[in-house]
Amino acid sequence: MATYGGVLRRSAAVVERARDSVRLTRKALARFARPQSFAAPPHAEAAAVRAVRNLRSFRLHYALLLWVLLLASLFPRHRATMLFLMAASKLALLYGALLKAFPNSALLRRILDRRISAALALTVICAELVMTGAVPQFLLAMGIGVPLVLFHALFRVRDDLTASGEETAAGTGGDPRPISEKKGDLEMGSR
């Protein structure tokens, strides 16, 4: 009986971690596209800084958006190419999972470097797109997706209100409340 209790406790912990993961993913997706989080940048330098920061912060979201657009553009005519790209994405996810599972692995870190693996995967994918004649669909998907990504990166305002002194004075408007309270207000939707 004691072993069953241990198994149940362990499985309850796994279920709780899965719930937390789903909750965090839901929050990240809501944070990605919250309407209150968009505003025009005040000047060109702020727009460049904001775009670089958002491209770095949301790179997985942007890649997923572009990948879905590419798969959607391939669906009607190039099903074999679409299936190949889906298999390639599964291999990339498997490699990422291996990196996460074995963070100190010399084989994964030194011999199979991430950049080399990514370059090899992109080369194979590009060659496959060219051989199957799916380049116009690729260009269409990128023509739609890249402006969307740039629009989001330029107009998405950051959530954290921790900034340097001059940005804090301009951004808070002299509000004496602590920054943590303001961040909570943003998460609740009031500002």
Side-chain angles (χ1 to χ4, degrees), residues 51-180:
V52 169
R53 186 189 60 243
N54 285 336
L55 286 171
R56 193 174 298 143
S57 298
F58 296 117
R59 65 180 171 232
L60 183 63
H61 293 89
Y62 295 150
L64 184 63
L65 174 71
L66 293 174
W67 196 252
V68 166
L69 286 173
L70 177 60
L71 289 176
S73 70
L74 291 173
F75 177 67
R77 290 188 176 164
H78 299 281
R79 288 190 182 132
T81 306
M82 185 181 78
L83 292 174
F84 177 79
L85 290 177
M86 291 170 71
S89 67
K90 296 292 182 193
L91 288 174
L93 287 173
L94 176 66
Y95 179 71
L98 285 174
L99 280 176
K100 199 113 173 140
F102 304 108
N104 297 328
S105 173
L107 175 71
L108 291 174
R109 294 287 177 183
R110 294 188 188 121
I111 297 171
L112 296 173
D113 186 42
R114 283 187 301 189
R115 287 171 275 180
I116 294 171
S117 300
L120 179 67
L122 285 176
T123 303
V124 169
I125 288 170
C126 289
E128 204 273 335
L129 286 172
V130 169
M131 287 190 299
T132 59
V135 174
Q137 285 80 11
F138 172 76
L139 294 176
L140 175 70
M142 294 304 115
I144 293 170
V146 169
L148 286 173
V149 166
L150 290 177
F151 177 79
H152 186 273
L154 283 175
F155 291 101
R156 175 69 165 80
V157 180
R158 69 175 182 228
D159 286 333
D160 60 334
L161 294 176
T162 58
S164 64
E166 59 193 52
E167 287 182 6
T168 304
T172 61
D175 194 0
R177 292 186 301 162
I179 292 175
S180 61

Side-chain angles (χ1 to χ4, degrees), residues 25-42:
T25 302
R26 192 178 320 138
K27 281 184 181 180
L29 287 174
R31 189 179 67 119
F32 179 69
R34 187 179 328 158
Q36 300 94 335
S37 298
F38 290 93

